[in-house]
């Protein structure tokens, strides 16, 4: 937040899937609201608004303010009037999450949306995406993206402590943590992928989850990890009714 103050209106956060971009954005929203109570701060999950993009493309987006207020945020009454006033005064911070997760059909629309906000208003934007999509945005807006630092061994150890306490493994915490750390070390030795992957929070969580039920110390790489994790994940989301079989 300190680095953001006084700089131009766009910051691009880029990292691989599971690095924590969405989590960071949601925490940033809380922090920004506390630090700037006079500013409207909004988190926007880009993949949830494809119908608004379709409608705006057909109608040739006439009012940027109305599009953001009515189509994206779906505001009414006092909130609608307040947002319009603050947006037109350049007093909003918009956190657009997941450029890489939207349909390629809307890539140009979203890029144009960012450009219009940047060129016609004084509002500030945070944009998150994966590295393969960041370069085009960097060139478009003449900015350099920022990324997370990989977890240190100490941070990784703390991650496992917190996770195993949350799922309440009880007296097995030390043993589960030991197995999980051994798994990470095995993956570090045998991986030909970017070493940052081993420090990815999502990968660490997957290791922690499957280590509760499996002995992973014999053979482990990214492929075998996903083989162990995906059936478990499929069962979980099936019970929630989130799986559609076609």
């Amino acid at each position: 937040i300190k680095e953001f103050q006084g700089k131009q209106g766009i910051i691009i956060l880029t990292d691989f899937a599971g690095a924590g971009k969405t989590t960071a954005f949601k925490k940033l929203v809380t922090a920004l609201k506390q630090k700037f109570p006079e500013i409207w701060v909004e988190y926007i999950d880009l993949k949830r608004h494809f119908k608004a993009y379709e409608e705006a493309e057909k109608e040739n987006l006439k009012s940027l303010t109305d599009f953001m207020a009515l189509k994206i945020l779906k505001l009414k009454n006092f909130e609608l009037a307040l947002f319009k006033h603050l947006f037109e005064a350049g007093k909003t911070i918009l956190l657009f999450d997941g450029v890489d997760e939207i349909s390629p059909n809307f890539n140009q629309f979203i890029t144009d949306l960012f450009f219009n906000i940047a060129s016609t208003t004084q509002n500030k934007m945070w944009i998150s995406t994966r590295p393969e999509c960041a370069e085009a945005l960097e060139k478009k807006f003449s900015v350099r993206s920022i990324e997370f630092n990989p977890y240190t061994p100490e941070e990784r150890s703390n991650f496992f402590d917190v996770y195993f306490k949350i799922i309440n493994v009880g007296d097995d915490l030390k043993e589960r943590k030991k197995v999980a750390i051994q798994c990470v070390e095995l993956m570090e030795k045998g991986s030909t992928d970017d070493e940052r992957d081993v420090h990815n929070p999502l990968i660490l969580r997957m290791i922690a989850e499957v280590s509760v039920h499996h002995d992973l110390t014999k053979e482990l790489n990214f492929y075998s990890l996903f083989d162990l994790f995906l059936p478990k994940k499929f069962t979980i989301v099936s019970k929630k009714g989130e799986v559609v079989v076609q």
Side-chain angles (χ1 to χ4, degrees), residues 144-182:
R144 292 186 62 184
S145 58
I146 60 174
E147 60 184 25
F148 296 116
N149 292 321
Y151 273 19
T152 65
E154 181 180 357
E155 289 170 335
R156 190 169 59 199
S157 176
N158 291 338
F159 178 94
F160 287 133
D161 279 335
V162 171
Y163 182 78
F164 288 130
K165 286 178 182 177
I166 289 174
I167 66 173
N168 192 24
V169 296
D171 296 335
D172 291 336
L173 190 150
K174 288 185 178 180
E175 181 60 27
R176 295 308 348 145
K177 178 180 175 181
K178 178 181 176 182
V179 171
I181 289 176
Q182 288 175 338

Side-chain angles (χ1 to χ4, degrees), residues 39 65 83-92 121-123:
I39 300 294
T65 304
F83 176 82
K84 283 187 172 184
H85 170 74
L86 293 173
F87 186 81
E88 291 172 359
K91 293 185 177 181
T92 72
T121 79
Q122 296 298 312
N123 298 292

Side-chain angles (χ1 to χ4, degrees), residues 62-213:
K62 297 176 182 178
S63 169
L64 184 59
T65 304
D66 284 346
F67 175 75
M68 291 302 304
L70 298 172
K71 300 297 185 180
I72 299 299
L73 303 184
K74 301 184 185 303
L75 301 174
K76 296 179 180 179
N77 303 323
F78 174 74
E79 286 188 334
L80 174 60
L82 178 60
F83 176 82
K84 283 187 172 184
H85 170 74
L86 293 173
F87 186 81
E88 291 172 359
K91 293 185 177 181
T92 72
I93 301 176
L94 306 172
L95 293 90
F96 292 100
D97 189 22
V99 172
D100 53 291
E101 296 179 6
I102 62 172
S103 166
N105 295 335
F106 301 121
N107 282 347
Q108 189 59 53
F109 177 84
I110 292 300
T111 301
D112 290 344
L113 175 65
F114 295 157
F115 181 79
N116 288 335
I117 293 174
S119 61
T120 64
T121 79
Q122 296 298 312
N123 298 292
K124 297 184 181 295
M125 290 182 286
W126 292 68
I127 301 168
S128 84
T129 188
R130 298 182 192 180
E132 59 266 26
C133 300
E135 186 176 353
L137 292 172
E138 290 176 339
K139 289 180 179 179
K140 180 74 174 179
F141 299 106
S142 300
V143 297
R144 292 186 62 184
S145 58
I146 60 174
E147 60 184 25
F148 296 116
N149 292 321
Y151 273 19
T152 65
E154 181 180 357
E155 289 170 335
R156 190 169 59 199
S157 176
N158 291 338
F159 178 94
F160 287 133
D161 279 335
V162 171
Y163 182 78
F164 288 130
K165 286 178 182 177
I166 289 174
I167 66 173
N168 192 24
V169 296
D171 296 335
D172 291 336
L173 190 150
K174 288 185 178 180
E175 181 60 27
R176 295 308 348 145
K177 178 180 175 181
K178 178 181 176 182
V179 171
I181 289 176
Q182 288 175 338
C183 293
V184 172
E185 292 171 349
L186 282 171
M187 292 179 70
E188 284 180 317
K189 292 177 181 178
S191 174
T192 58
D193 296 89
D194 188 328
E195 64 178 8
R196 289 173 58 86
D197 288 346
V198 185
H199 302 279
N200 182 303
L202 176 61
I203 297 296
L204 293 178
R205 178 172 177 174
M206 289 169 64
I207 291 172
E209 284 197 23
V210 297
S211 72
V212 175
H213 306 287

